[in-house]
Amino acid sequence: MDIKTYIQNVGIIILLIIVQVKFSYLYSMYDIKPDILLIFLIRQSVKYPSPTRSLIRGFFAGIVIDLVIGDVVGASALIFSIAGFATSYYKRHKGYLAQSNKFTLFLIMLLGSSIIFYYLTLSHLPLLKNIFFVTFPSAIYGVCIIWILQIFKPIK
């Protein structure tokens, strides 16, 4: 990746953070909000499968959003780093991924990230209620967004 791509990625990350913080009520359904920044990071990890760069990209985006939101500082950085690293690592070692495998990978990453994030931040809810009423619908909603993005702007 060249410097233009880095600057473009930083600009998109900042834009997505603003959209996620200020305008998330516009795309939420029944109080279920997909993490559009995580969706972007996972797609970038599949598009550019470098585990180190995905780890750094995820950490940078996570720290910035944690500082902006003021929630548990470092939780998003940890989750985004793990998701980016795992996605790039898997993509790099598997090489070509069929569409069904990509969607399975996206679902696993979104679901795993959501479980870890909501377990860290919503610990007052029972675990099964958290998984079935918050985490799983959020991951499915995120996969639907990825599916729409794959139609209009596919990644290989």
Side-chain angles (χ1 to χ4, degrees):
M1 288 191 338
D2 58 344
I3 191 74
K4 180 182 174 189
T5 309
Y6 281 121
I7 293 172
Q8 188 178 28
N9 281 342
V10 169
I12 291 172
I13 287 172
I14 291 171
L15 179 69
L16 288 175
I17 288 172
I18 292 169
V19 168
Q20 188 164 327
V21 170
K22 295 291 183 186
F23 303 109
S24 64
Y25 65 91
L26 293 174
Y27 58 85
S28 67
M29 291 190 319
Y30 302 108
D31 288 334
I32 296 177
K33 302 173 188 172
D35 195 345
I36 58 173
L37 185 58
L38 182 61
I39 291 169
F40 172 74
L41 292 172
I42 291 173
R43 280 182 53 94
Q44 287 297 104
S45 296
V46 170
K47 189 174 182 179
Y48 305 109
S50 170
T52 306
R53 288 182 183 155
S54 297
L55 184 76
I56 293 169
R57 187 183 307 122
F59 183 79
F60 168 73
I63 281 292
V64 170
I65 199 160
D66 282 342
L67 293 174
V68 169
I69 292 176
D71 204 13
V72 180
V73 177
S76 295
L78 173 70
I79 292 164
F80 291 172
S81 298
I82 290 171
F85 179 82
T87 305
S88 332
Y89 187 79
Y90 183 79
K91 170 72 166 112
R92 177 174 261 183
H93 287 293
K94 286 294 183 181
Y96 173 76
L97 290 175
Q99 286 291 20
S100 61
N101 292 344
K102 282 182 193 169
F103 286 117
T104 305
L105 178 65
F106 291 146
L107 180 64
I108 290 170
M109 286 300 133
L110 287 172
L111 190 60
S113 301
S114 296
I115 287 172
I116 294 170
F117 184 74
Y118 288 118
Y119 186 71
L120 290 174
T121 59
L122 296 176
S123 59
H124 64 279
L125 289 177
L127 183 63
L128 289 178
K129 184 177 182 181
N130 184 9
I131 289 173
F132 288 115
F133 293 114
V134 179
T135 304
F136 196 68
S138 176
I140 295 295
Y141 191 14
V143 169
C144 290
I145 290 173
I146 290 175
W147 182 67
I148 292 169
L149 289 173
Q150 273 299 102
I151 291 173
F152 294 111
K153 187 165 170 111
I155 53 175
K156 297 178 174 134

